[in-house]
Amino acid sequence: MASNKKYWKSVEELNENSSIVETLRNNEFVEQIPVDEFLGDKDSLANASTSRRDFLKYVGFSTAAASLAACEGPVVKSIPYVVQPEEVIPGVADYYATTIADGFDFANILIKTREGRPIKVENNKLEGAVSSANSRVHASVLSLYDSLRLKQSKIAGKDAAWSEVTSKIKSSLEDAKAKGGNVVLLTNTMASPSTDALIADLIAKYPTVKQVVYDAVSETNALDAFQSVYGVRGLADYDFSKSDVIVSVGADILGDWQGGGYDASYAKGRIPKQGKMSKHIQIEANMSLSGANADKRIPLNVTEQKIALADLYSAIVNGSTPKNAEVAKAAKQLSAAKSKGVVVTGLDDKDAQLLVLAINAKISSEAFNPSAARLTRKGDAKAVAQLVTDMNASSVHTLIMSGVNPVYTLANSKEFVAGLKKVKLSVAFSMKEDETASITNIAAAAPHYLESWGDVTLSRGHYSVMQPTIRPLFDTKQLQEVLLSLTENAASYHDYLKAFAASQLNGKSWNQTVHDGFSVAEVAPLSTSDVDASASASKLASSKTTGLDLVLYTKTGMGDGQQANNPWLQEFPDPITRVSWDNYATVSKADAEKLGLENWNEANGGLNGSYVTLKVGNATLNKVPVIIQPGQAKGTVGLAFGYGKTASMKQEMQVGVNAYALYTNLNANQTVSIAKEEGEHEFACVQLQKTLMGRGDIIKETTLEIFNSKDAAVWNPVPMVSLDHKDTPATEVDLWTSFDRTTGHHFNLSIDLNACTGCGACVIACHAENNVPVVGKDEVRRSRDMHWLRIDRYYSSQDTFDGDNKLKGGTSGLMDSVSTLSAMEDPAENPQVAFQPVMCQHCNHAPCETVCPVAATSHGREGQNHMAYNRCVGTRYCANNCPYKVRRFNWFLYNKNSEFDYHMNDDLGRMVLNPDVNVRSRGVMEKCSMCIQMTQAVKLNAKREGRLVKDGEFQTACSAACSSGAMIFGDVNDKESQVATLVEDDRMYHLLEHIGTKPNVFYHVKVRNDK
């Protein structure tokens, strides 16, 4: 019998005469959908052709910033697609090739977009791509959504339309032309041939215009040396995979030296194959990434480095023997390697750079490639100095700046500001109302590179294209668009670029080049001129020490400081010191004792330190915190650029001191005086322990000689445990009943300690992919950082890790062991260093799973340890039971929490979030998921296409970001896969294997070439 019972959803429905009920019945949406705001005029819409970028006009469920290209504010309402573009499938990511070229970082990359929002950077893995995205490149997608960006151009501090801006600039140019006044276009290195052509057109129309190229971190001396020899203002390229012996004198080849990106070729030669691997000798003052990875590190001050380089030259050319025994040994090995050797230097000295060019030419180094010269550094320190002089002499009529912030980055900033007041019209094209843009007559709002068209010549013969992946979020214009207006060219920059590129594409079509991101052509060898290298060698050999050396450098996280308002980079721990949210003066232990400087740990684990005053000439930096750095050369002080910014910066990110104030004449090597100040500084350091203390089953390492001559059981022993009172290999003992894992996929991650350089690109890639929150300095100091992936850094207590093992092995009795291990917490003056990425090990027998009272953490059949956030009640039993300490607890609601004013707290910043990954709430445990959303997407895509998954398709964020090849992810059940081969390698071991957790992450024993 049918029921006549009445069901209702609202009390209002019981009122039959209610108008509200009728409205609800007939309308899906209670409020009128704001279609007009997005679609504009119907007629124009009907006649419009829709590109993949135009769809942003019509899309809903977004903030107005992305929806309407040039936004006012966030949209609360959600609307459906009215016209869905063919290229966009909700829930499916699109990837577009482009190129980053911000004047400091240059690379061919891919941009992952979701529903029109760029959310992640990937390496472009096409053959020929110059792709080695570092941590800054991976973080650059977040800078697109910086809420403090300059949203509209300003004239005299007031909002202005672009027509007004262009008119004012044009009037000034006409006035300068009539009066013969000088016009200077001050730009960073754009390496853009189409922009060069536009500037040439501007000069043709206004003959008094000249361009000055200014790089905040200058390579002037290296550029001058290369230009004098090869006739091109560029820098030699290097392929370190072709070297058996690498000798670096002050060059951080794994950091930002000459633009960086050398880690991939370096790592190829560092993995032992057929009994061979390259030998790396590093001579330097600061402990760098390169020094930390070297087989032999020789700490010397700047003067000693110059003498060492002169001795190397004399040994190679004249057969003489250097006085320094370690340098003599390096010279001998370099001579024996012949063309398989290479020498590089980072000394800020033209003579030093000339010597290196001469040495590599003399030995016919295969790794040395001047013909493929890098063109991403073109700054001229002398021209910049002359510009400041001219400005103060009132001989500059108009100054147009783009991509530079000299008020912040020039050591003689006060002189520049004084000169700026004497310029009739000053214009700054900038993304931010920074230190310079805030005091110019016109602050022209510039777009982010992900909103821009462009081209870049990264090296001779390598032409790259930059394409926008989103419509401009604000009322911005590229410099190139304005140059076209000033030269009365009616074409858009896109059309101009497409026409210009026809002669640059090397046989490719325009569409194919945009698709690939680049095209490559053969280049003719560069002719050389004779260099009087002996004169340079004599000059360097007679160098004298005049006091303490200040060595200025760039951190792998912060670079030159362009992205100082990026919280991912601020919270990124420095690979060497493991300190985030700061820069600091690094000093040796010996110098610290002389000056009474200290570092100490508080009871809560926080690191504290002394303050110093640094003085270079008349420039002084006060309240500079100190880190006592193992391996720092005596008589030297290190200090990183990129900090101390205040303009257009959130309060929380106004940290550190401005090292550019000491960057006199754009030279990174200065003589400095140092004095202790009162007070103590609180650091946010994520690694309390300093040394490995003989923990040989955490980082296993051996020498190349032992690796070649001994059985794997000697250098990679399987730990033994007691079973029935007998020593038994830990791999044969099991506390749990295993199940068959051979059916379906079973994921493993391989980490090669020889290839890992500690660069940290994987850490930022994980941030982006998995919506990892930023917690701020105070919380990091409390050991509450939320990084799913950390890179542990260990020092040796003795000169080598082998010495540590022998010291520990020689102890007898409990008290002797305790006192010995306590003493081993003190690193050697020049320690060996090891890096180890650690994330959730995804144990097949996971101790976290057995203690969770609500089964929030459980094991998947494919080897991944899952987290059901909705089940988690925050007992933290799992964190206590995890031997790897890789679980992170949400102490606060980082999303939309006013206590944590970072990108997750405004609508614009949240646009970077990956919709495939939960944004976790307060009170839950979180950790690495082995990027399960990525593996699922690969499986679904293959299923849709009716095929098997190919090897290399499965990736995690960290493995995809690792340009050195240290991280390889895949399915071990696919016996043809790379990871299945690696798991059978003799160097393979598991972390803490003796506890029987059977992880799905495995490592490869580190091998050092100590010959």
Side-chain angles (χ1 to χ4, degrees):
M1 181 177 174
S3 170
N4 60 2
K5 187 183 294 183
K6 183 173 182 178
Y7 292 90
W8 46 274
K9 291 185 285 185
S10 166
V11 176
E12 191 67 31
E13 289 185 45
L14 299 178
N15 182 357
E16 294 182 0
N17 299 319
S18 173
S19 60
I20 297 176
V21 172
E22 192 63 26
T23 302
L24 289 172
R25 244 185 228 126
N26 298 324
N27 292 283
E28 181 181 356
F29 298 97
V30 180
E31 296 182 48
Q32 182 67 33
I33 300 173
V35 174
D36 292 342
E37 295 178 27
F38 294 83
L39 305 184
D41 183 70
K42 288 184 179 180
D43 294 333
S44 62
L45 176 61
N47 297 322
S49 60
T50 304
S51 70
R52 68 177 174 81
R53 295 176 195 89
D54 287 333
F55 93 88
L56 291 168
K57 294 177 182 177
Y58 318 123
V59 67
F61 201 69
S62 177
T63 65
S67 302
L68 191 56
C71 71
E72 282 90 42
V75 168
V76 177
K77 309 176 185 74
S78 297
I79 64 169
Y81 279 112
V82 179
V83 179
Q84 180 180 325
E86 293 180 6
E87 298 90 341
V88 175
I89 303 174
V92 177
D94 289 315
Y95 294 82
Y96 301 102
T98 190
T99 302
I100 183 172
D102 63 8
F104 191 71
D105 290 310
F106 294 81
N108 298 133
I109 54 177
L110 302 180
I111 300 298
K112 177 182 179 181
T113 67
R114 283 294 302 270
E115 289 75 57
R117 295 178 295 112
I119 63 170
K120 191 166 183 289
V121 172
E122 302 279 6
N123 283 312
N124 187 334
K125 296 187 178 180
L126 289 179
E127 185 179 356
V130 178
S131 181
S132 187
N134 56 32
S135 56
R136 296 184 301 273
V137 175
H138 280 284
S140 64
V141 69
L142 179 59
S143 294
L144 169 67
Y145 304 115
D146 188 341
S147 60
L148 296 184
R149 280 181 58 186
L150 187 57
K151 299 173 178 63
Q152 185 174 3
S153 297
K154 295 184 177 183
I155 297 178
K158 297 180 179 179
D159 291 347
W162 273 105
S163 57
E164 190 179 353
V165 169
T166 306
S167 174
K168 204 166 183 66
I169 296 173
K170 193 175 181 86
S171 296
S172 187
L173 291 175
E174 293 290 351
D175 187 51
K177 182 179 181 180
K179 297 177 180 176
N182 292 319
V183 177
V184 176
L185 183 59
L186 180 66
T187 71
N188 57 5
T189 298
M190 293 183 284
S192 169
S194 66
T195 307
D196 291 343
L198 284 172
I199 292 172
D201 292 343
L202 185 71
I203 294 172
K205 185 172 178 63
Y206 301 103
T208 60
V209 173
K210 74 171 181 177
Q211 183 185 12
V212 174
V213 181
Y214 166 48
D215 294 329
V217 180
S218 177
E219 298 279 3
T220 288
N221 289 304
L223 290 164
D224 288 348
F226 189 87
Q227 189 170 16
S228 67
V229 177
Y230 294 100
V232 172
R233 193 159 186 80
L235 299 169
D237 197 16
Y238 294 86
D239 184 351
F240 292 109
S241 67
K242 296 179 179 179
S243 291
D244 290 342
V245 177
I246 303 166
V247 179
S248 170
V249 183
D252 187 8
I253 57 176
L254 299 178
D256 294 327
W257 175 72
Q258 296 189 357
Y262 291 112
D263 46 348
S265 66
Y266 173 86
K268 287 178 184 177
R270 299 292 290 162
I271 299 173
K273 293 177 182 175
Q274 280 130 21
K276 291 182 64 179
M277 63 180 284
S278 63
K279 175 72 179 284
H280 175 194
I281 302 160
Q282 184 79 11
I283 302 171
E284 64 182 8
N286 298 341
M287 174 68 83
S288 68
L289 275 177
S290 301
N293 283 277
D295 296 299
K296 181 65 181 180
R297 181 178 180 274
I298 307 170
L300 299 176
N301 66 27
V302 174
T303 299
E304 291 166 340
Q305 288 177 47
K306 291 178 179 179
I307 295 171
L309 189 55
D311 287 348
L312 278 174
Y313 174 81
S314 298
I316 297 297
V317 175
N318 304 320
S320 60
T321 303
K323 294 177 182 177
N324 185 306
E326 295 292 352
V327 176
K329 187 177 179 181
K332 186 177 179 180
Q333 292 176 329
L334 192 62
S335 296
K338 297 179 181 176
S339 65
K340 289 292 185 180
V342 67
V343 181
V344 294
T345 187
L347 288 170
D348 222 344
D349 184 290
K350 183 179 178 180
D351 291 305
Q353 298 292 338
L354 286 170
L355 275 192
V356 163
L357 298 176
I359 292 172
N360 288 323
K362 177 70 178 178
I363 64 177
S364 301
S365 172
E366 294 177 26
F368 175 65
N369 188 1
S371 295
R374 291 187 170 202
L375 304 178
T376 54
R377 296 286 187 273
K378 291 190 176 182
D380 190 338
K382 297 184 186 68
V384 175
Q386 186 59 50
L387 170 62
V388 177
T389 300
D390 292 344
M391 288 166 61
N392 280 283
S394 300
S395 58
V396 175
H397 182 283
T398 303
L399 177 64
I400 303 173
M401 295 172 280
S402 176
V404 295
N405 185 8
V407 175
Y408 165 66
T409 57
L410 276 179
N412 57 339
S413 172
K414 291 181 180 177
E415 293 177 39
F416 182 87
V417 172
L420 198 62
K421 294 175 182 176
K422 299 177 181 179
V423 173
K424 291 190 176 180
L425 181 71
S426 56
V427 184
F429 283 81
S430 175
M431 279 180 57
K432 307 287 285 293
E433 199 169 1
D434 56 28
E435 287 82 354
T436 302
S438 60
I439 62 171
T440 53
N441 301 129
I442 300 176
H448 190 269
Y449 79 93
L450 293 177
E451 303 167 313
S452 308
W453 283 103
D455 61 351
V456 188
T457 306
L458 299 175
S459 58
R460 293 184 71 231
H462 197 286
Y463 182 78
S464 302
V465 173
M466 179 189 300
Q467 66 167 323
T469 57
I470 189 171
R471 289 287 294 264
L473 302 182
F474 308 115
D475 187 14
T476 57
K477 269 194 180 181
Q478 294 180 241
L479 170 69
Q480 292 87 346
E481 291 282 0
V482 176
L483 290 176
L484 284 165
S485 298
L486 295 175
T487 54
E488 297 176 355
N489 189 328
S492 68
Y493 180 49
H494 167 265
D495 293 340
Y496 180 92
L497 176 64
K498 186 176 180 179
F500 177 86
S503 61
Q504 308 283 322
L505 299 182
N506 308 314
K508 277 188 180 181
S509 68
W510 166 254
N511 285 347
Q512 186 64 45
T513 303
V514 173
H515 172 273
D516 295 349
F518 64 93
S519 64
V520 183
E522 293 289 329
V523 292
L526 291 174
S527 57
T528 63
S529 58
D530 294 331
V531 185
D532 186 6
S534 58
S536 294
S538 298
K539 189 174 178 182
L540 290 181
S542 61
S543 300
K544 302 292 183 185
T545 300
T546 56
L548 278 175
D549 290 328
L550 174 64
V551 181
L552 298 166
Y553 68 99
T554 56
K555 279 191 178 188
T556 188
M558 192 53 63
D560 64 351
Q562 288 186 55
Q563 297 191 71
N565 203 44
N566 190 312
W568 288 351
L569 295 177
Q570 288 284 7
E571 193 146 300
F572 173 69
D574 181 76
I576 303 296
T577 63
R578 307 294 288 138
V579 172
S580 64
W581 293 100
D582 254 318
N583 66 338
Y584 32 76
T586 56
V587 299
S588 69
K589 184 178 180 181
D591 289 334
E593 289 174 350
K594 287 180 186 176
L595 295 163
L597 305 176
E598 296 178 282
N599 283 148
W600 65 93
N601 287 102
E602 294 290 302
N604 66 355
L607 178 69
N608 288 11
S610 305
Y611 283 115
V612 293
T613 298
L614 298 179
K615 189 173 182 180
V616 173
N618 295 323
T620 301
L621 267 185
N622 296 311
K623 287 284 183 183
V624 183
V626 170
I627 289 287
I628 300 171
Q629 176 61 55
Q632 184 81 26
K634 294 177 184 176
T636 67
V637 179
L639 185 63
F641 292 119
Y643 292 81
K645 285 176 68 72
T646 56
S648 287
M649 294 278 292
K650 289 188 176 181
Q651 183 64 40
E652 293 84 355
M653 282 174 274
Q654 295 180 25
V655 296
V657 295
N658 185 3
Y660 286 111
L662 306 182
Y663 195 31
T664 306
N665 297 323
L666 275 66
N667 194 299
N669 305 139
Q670 302 285 343
T671 299
V672 67
S673 62
I674 182 171
K676 183 178 179 180
E677 275 194 62
E678 291 300 315
E680 60 184 67
H681 184 78
E682 295 185 345
F683 291 102
C685 182
V686 298
Q687 185 155 323
L688 175 63
Q689 76 273 23
K690 302 179 182 69
T691 64
L692 195 63
M693 293 206 322
R695 299 183 184 100
D697 56 349
I698 293 178
I699 289 185
K700 291 188 178 183
E701 69 165 50
T702 187
T703 64
L704 184 62
E705 183 180 4
I706 294 174
F707 175 77
N708 288 333
S709 60
K710 304 289 185 182
D711 189 77
V714 175
W715 47 265
N716 187 16
V718 176
M720 309 295 282
V721 296
S722 178
L723 179 66
D724 297 332
H725 305 289
K726 293 179 182 178
D727 284 344
T728 308
T731 52
E732 297 177 10
V733 179
D734 221 329
L735 296 178
W736 288 269
T737 302
S738 294
F739 61 89
D740 181 15
R741 302 189 187 95
T742 60
T743 303
H745 301 294
H746 190 77
F747 297 116
N748 271 203
L749 175 64
S750 168
I751 302 175
D752 194 324
L753 298 182
N754 264 57
C756 177
T757 64
C759 71
C762 53
V763 176
I764 301 298
C766 179
H767 243 308
E769 176 68 28
N770 294 297
N771 301 333
V772 176
V774 171
V775 302
K777 181 175 180 178
D778 289 343
E779 295 304 300
V780 172
R781 182 172 165 80
R782 294 185 177 98
S783 302
R784 293 176 178 176
D785 60 293
M786 296 299 294
H787 293 114
W788 284 10
L789 163 62
R790 70 176 191 265
I791 302 180
D792 287 335
R793 178 270 303 128
Y794 295 104
Y795 299 129
S796 64
S797 179
Q798 304 297 298
D799 290 339
T800 64
F801 285 108
D802 186 49
D804 283 10
N805 292 332
K806 289 176 181 176
L807 179 63
K808 181 189 174 187
T811 59
S812 60
L814 175 62
M815 297 311 296
D816 187 20
S817 296
V818 171
S819 61
T820 299
L821 289 175
S822 178
M824 287 177 71
E825 270 296 356
D826 189 16
E829 283 194 6
N830 182 30
Q832 281 189 341
V833 186
F835 296 107
Q836 184 175 51
V838 182
M839 67 291 288
C840 173
Q841 302 291 291
H842 295 272
C843 309
N844 288 314
H845 293 162
C848 58
E849 296 171 8
T850 58
V851 295
C852 182
V854 291
T857 178
S858 58
H859 213 66
R861 185 163 190 87
E862 295 178 340
Q864 292 148 319
N865 179 276
H866 296 175
M867 275 299 305
Y869 299 118
N870 284 358
R871 295 183 66 90
C872 180
V873 294
T875 64
R876 294 186 285 154
Y877 296 160
C878 56
N880 292 336
N881 221 37
C882 175
Y884 308 105
K885 300 308 167 193
V886 289
R887 290 176 164 264
R888 303 287 176 257
F889 183 69
N890 277 79
W891 290 93
F892 296 96
L893 180 65
Y894 300 108
N895 179 37
K896 297 185 179 179
N897 189 323
S898 60
E899 293 292 321
F900 301 90
D901 187 17
Y902 306 116
H903 65 290
M904 283 193 183
N905 297 291
D906 61 73
D907 286 331
L908 190 62
R910 279 193 294 274
M911 286 174 65
V912 81
L913 296 177
N914 183 358
D916 292 333
V917 180
N918 284 6
V919 176
R920 283 75 62 186
S921 187
R922 179 180 183 177
V924 303
M925 191 66 70
E926 62 180 79
K927 59 158 196 85
C928 161
S929 67
M930 210 175 258
C931 290
I932 190 169
Q933 71 281 0
M934 294 177 68
T935 57
Q936 288 297 105
V938 168
K939 286 188 292 183
L940 291 171
N941 188 49
K943 183 177 181 180
R944 187 173 64 248
E945 296 175 5
R947 60 173 179 81
L948 295 175
V949 176
K950 303 169 190 172
D951 184 33
E953 279 192 273
F954 285 125
Q955 292 287 349
T956 58
C958 54
S959 66
C962 184
S963 53
S964 68
M967 293 182 175
I968 304 295
F969 180 75
D971 179 7
V972 289
N973 285 345
D974 176 5
K975 299 307 177 185
E976 302 300 315
S977 68
Q978 189 177 0
V979 76
T981 303
L982 291 169
V983 80
E984 301 296 332
D985 193 282
D986 285 344
R987 287 201 295 134
M988 189 280 290
Y989 75 96
H990 291 110
L991 192 57
L992 302 181
E993 197 157 34
H994 62 277
I995 60 178
T997 54
K998 300 190 181 302
N1000 284 312
V1001 177
F1002 60 88
Y1003 297 82
H1004 281 75
V1005 173
K1006 186 174 181 66
V1007 180
R1008 294 187 188 269
N1009 190 346
D1010 65 341
K1011 290 184 178 179

